[in-house]
Amino acid sequence: MRYVNSGNGRMPLISLIAILSISLTINMPGLAVSPMLGKLRDLFDSSELESQLVTSLPNLCMIPVTILAGRLATARRQTAVLATGLLIFLIGGIGCFFAESMQALIILGCVVGIGCGLVVPVAAGYISEWFMGSERQSDLGLKSTTSNAMVIVANLYVGWVAAVNWHAAFAVYLTPLLPLLLLPFMTDGFIRRHRIVAASETSTPDSTTAQTPYHFQGRESRVMLAGLILLYMFLTYATTSISYYAPFAMEHFGMSTTQVGIVTAMYYLFCAVCGTCVGRLRRIFGHGTLLISLMACAAGLFVIGFTSNFVVYSIAAAVTGFGYGIIQPIIYNKTTYVAPTRKLGTRYFGYVLSANYVAIMMVPFIDGGARRIFHATSATFEFTFSGAVVTALLLWAWICRKNYVFSVNPDTSAPTGSEIPGK
C-alpha cells in the first residue's frame, strides 16, 4: 500500500484520494450550470432573477444544513453523514435530467443543495483531523484545487453541451458517484487500521479536551471565527459575480455560451493552480500575501466592469482567480487553528464554509438592490460594484494587518505565541 506524509506519521494514499474526491462535489450546486443561465432564461421565458434562483436557492438550502452537519459529523457519525449527503445529492442530480420547467429545476437544485450541505464540512474536517502542520496546509490547498478544477471541467462542459442539449448539462450532478465508491477508504476504522503514527504521536494529540498554545480559546476563538467568516463571505460574494453575471454581460455583448464557459473556467483554473502551490506563494509574497491577493481580486473585477472584450475578460478572470485561489486555502487553514481543538475543526469548518453559501445566495439580491440605488444601466455594473466591495476588504485588511485573520507568516501557517493572548 502506498503512503503519504500526514505531518504526524503516514496515511494511505488511497485514503487521501478518497478524502479529496469529496471536494469534487462541493462547488457543484448552481455554479456548475451557471454558463447556461442565459439559455435557461430564454428557454423558459423567465426573468433574470428567476433563472438566477437555479444558482442561489440551492446555496440558501446549504447554509443551515452545512452548520448542522458540522455539529453532527463526529468521528463516529462522519461516514453516515457523508454517505447520506452524497446519496441525496445524487438523487437530486438525476432528477434534473427529467425536469421540464424552471420551477422543477429550482426544486431539484434545492435537493442537491441539501445533500451537498451535509458533505461540505466533512470534506475539510477529514483533513483537519488526520493531517498536521505544513501537510495540512498543503492538503487543504489540494482540496481547493480539486473543487475548483471540477468547476473548470463542469463550466467548459456545460458551456459546450448546453448549445446541443441542456438536459445533458446536468451530468455534472453525477459527481457524487466517485466519493461514494471510495467511501470505504475514508472511514475512521480503515484509516486507524492502516495509518502509520509517528512515535511522538502514539497518544492522541489535541483531543477534545486538550488545549495547546497553537489554538485560540474562548472569546478570542469566537472573534477570530467571526473575522474569517466575514472575510470569506464578502470576498466570495464579490468574486462570484464572474459566475453569476458573465453569462448575461457576455450575451449582451454578443458572445457565445462557449466563450462564457472559457471565461468562468479561467477564473477557476487559477483558483485551482494557486491551491496546489499556496505554501510557495505565501513564502514569495511574505507578510503581504493577503493584501496582494485582495489587490488582484479588486483589479480583475474592475477591469471586467469597464471593458467588453473576450480576451480581456479571460485575463481579468484569471487575475481574480489568482487572488481568490491564494486566500481560500489560507482561510481554511486558519480555521483549524481558530478552532479550540482539532476535534472541533469540523464544526468550525461548518460555520466558515456556510459563509461561502451565504455569499453565493445573496449575490442577486444585494446587486439588484445596488443597481436600483445607483440607477445603473451598464451591463457590467455588478463587476464594478464587486470591485468596490473588495477594495473595502483591502482597506480593512490593511488596517488590521497584524490581526491573525489577515496576517500571514511565510515560515509557518500556525499562529505565533504573540498572536494568542496569554501565550
Side-chain angles (χ1 to χ4, degrees), residues 121-155:
V122 179
Y126 271 129
I127 296 174
S128 176
E129 181 177 355
W130 296 112
F131 293 87
M132 293 184 65
S134 61
E135 296 302 324
R136 179 193 287 164
Q137 174 73 88
S138 176
D139 290 330
L140 286 170
L142 288 175
K143 173 194 174 299
S144 297
T145 296
T146 303
S147 59
N148 289 314
M150 187 62 214
V151 177
I152 296 169
V153 174
N155 275 273

Side-chain angles (χ1 to χ4, degrees), residues 27-29 53 55 60 98 101 107 116 118 124 163 178 180 198 202 249 282 297 323 342 385 408-409:
N27 281 341
M28 287 294 102
L53 290 178
T55 299
L60 176 61
F98 305 99
S101 69
I107 292 170
C116 191
L118 290 171
L178 183 57
L180 277 171
T202 51
R282 191 184 67 209
C297 291
R342 285 172 59 199
F385 184 73
V408 175
N409 188 332

Side-chain angles (χ1 to χ4, degrees), residues 108-398:
L108 289 166
C110 291
V111 174
V112 169
I114 291 170
C116 191
L118 290 171
V119 169
V120 166
V122 179
Y126 271 129
I127 296 174
S128 176
E129 181 177 355
W130 296 112
F131 293 87
M132 293 184 65
S134 61
E135 296 302 324
R136 179 193 287 164
Q137 174 73 88
S138 176
D139 290 330
L140 286 170
L142 288 175
K143 173 194 174 299
S144 297
T145 296
T146 303
S147 59
N148 289 314
M150 187 62 214
V151 177
I152 296 169
V153 174
N155 275 273
L156 290 173
Y157 169 75
V158 170
W160 167 71
V161 81
V164 181
N165 185 331
W166 67 270
H167 273 114
F170 288 98
V172 296
Y173 282 173
L174 301 181
T175 49
L177 282 171
L178 183 57
L180 277 171
L181 291 173
L182 294 173
L183 196 64
F185 301 108
M186 61 181 111
T187 62
D188 186 75
F190 179 87
I191 294 175
R192 289 191 183 280
R193 285 196 306 271
H194 294 90
R195 69 173 181 154
I196 300 172
V197 182
S200 60
E201 297 290 342
T202 51
S203 59
T204 304
D206 216 4
S207 65
T208 54
T209 59
Q211 295 184 358
T212 76
Y214 298 103
H215 288 256
F216 289 90
Q217 305 294 325
R219 181 180 179 276
E220 288 299 323
S221 174
R222 295 189 293 272
V223 170
M224 295 299 167
L225 175 64
L228 289 174
I229 288 173
L230 290 174
L231 173 62
Y232 195 26
M233 182 172 66
F234 283 105
L235 182 61
T236 300
Y237 152 76
T239 57
T240 299
S241 60
I242 293 176
S243 292
Y244 260 96
Y245 296 108
F248 304 109
M250 294 176 71
E251 182 184 52
H252 175 80
F253 293 120
M255 300 180 215
S256 68
T257 57
T258 300
Q259 289 175 311
V260 173
I262 292 172
V263 168
T264 52
M266 287 297 290
Y267 167 73
Y268 287 107
L269 172 63
F270 275 78
C271 286
V273 169
C274 290
T276 63
C277 53
V278 64
R280 182 177 301 174
L281 291 170
R282 191 184 67 209
R283 289 190 292 273
I284 292 173
F285 295 139
H287 297 284
T289 298
L290 254 69
L291 295 176
I292 293 170
S293 300
L294 288 170
M295 287 179 193
C297 291
L301 290 167
F302 276 129
V303 167
I304 295 176
F306 290 111
T307 57
S308 58
N309 179 275
F310 167 65
V311 175
V312 174
Y313 275 15
S314 300
I315 296 172
V319 171
T320 306
F322 174 81
Y324 187 79
I326 295 173
I327 295 174
Q328 188 180 48
I330 289 176
I331 289 176
Y332 291 166
N333 195 55
K334 285 179 180 291
T335 302
T336 65
Y337 294 105
V338 166
T341 68
R342 285 172 59 199
K343 292 294 183 182
L344 288 174
T346 300
R347 180 180 299 184
Y348 271 58
F349 273 117
Y351 298 140
V352 171
L353 293 172
S354 67
N356 179 72
Y357 305 106
V358 171
I360 295 171
M361 177 274 299
M362 70 185 189
V363 168
F365 303 103
I366 290 185
D367 287 344
R371 182 177 278 274
R372 288 190 295 273
I373 290 171
F374 292 103
H375 304 289
T377 57
S378 169
T380 57
F381 165 78
E382 289 80 8
F383 297 102
T384 307
F385 184 73
S386 294
V389 170
V390 178
T391 301
L393 288 178
L394 177 61
L395 179 62
W396 179 32
W398 183 79

